[in-house]
Amino acid sequence: MRDDDSGRPSGRSTRWRPRIGTDVSVAAAARAWVLAALPRLLARPAPARLSDNVELLVSELTANALLHAGGVEHIDLYCTDRVLGISVRDQDRAPITVRQAPPPDLDHGRGLVLVEALASRWGVREHPGDGKDVWLELPLDR
C-alpha cells in the first residue's frame, strides 16, 4: 500500500466536502453520504455490520470535529483489498486529546473509545498550520 500525494493509501477513494462544515447538519449529511458512497467504493453491496460501523464511526468523528475542532473540512473514504479507511479533516491546529472512558452516568465522551474498539488502527495526521486528519481503518472481510 503506497501513499499518493494526498496522504491516502493507493486504491479506490472518494471525498466529500460539506457546504457549511460548521453546521450541526453536517453529521446527518455525512452519514447519508457515506452510506451512499460505500457500495460504489466497494464495488458491491456493503455487509450490514460494515455499514453500521462505518455510519457510527463517521458520525463520531464528524461530531468530534464539530464539537472540538471548529468543523469539518472534508471526509475521505478509501478502500484497498484489505481495509476501508475513513479520514475526517478539520482546521484546528490543537493536538487531539485522548481521554479515558467517561463515567457511566455521562451521556457523551465515548467517540474515540468507540473508534479504538472498532477500528483495526487509527491515528491523527497533523498538517502544521493547516489542521489535522483523524483517520481510522476497518478490516474488509472478504
Side-chain angles (χ1 to χ4, degrees), residues 70-138:
V72 175
E73 184 177 319
H74 64 255
I75 299 174
D76 289 328
L77 288 180
Y78 60 86
C79 182
T80 69
D81 291 339
R82 296 186 180 139
V83 299
L84 176 75
I86 302 167
S87 177
V88 176
R89 175 78 177 259
D90 64 55
Q91 293 183 357
D92 188 20
R93 294 179 180 112
I96 192 169
T97 303
V98 179
R99 298 183 181 115
Q100 298 299 321
D105 59 337
L106 219 65
D107 65 352
H108 64 281
R110 291 174 180 78
L112 291 178
V113 173
L114 289 170
V115 169
E116 181 74 31
L118 296 173
S120 56
R121 58 188 208 121
W122 73 279
V124 178
R125 184 179 302 110
E126 294 185 22
H127 304 279
D130 194 31
K132 63 185 170 301
D133 298 314
V134 179
W135 61 268
L136 62 86
E137 292 181 342
L138 296 167

Side-chain angles (χ1 to χ4, degrees), residues 23-36:
D23 190 275
V24 295
S25 66
V26 167
R31 286 191 304 272
W33 171 77
V34 76
L35 290 177

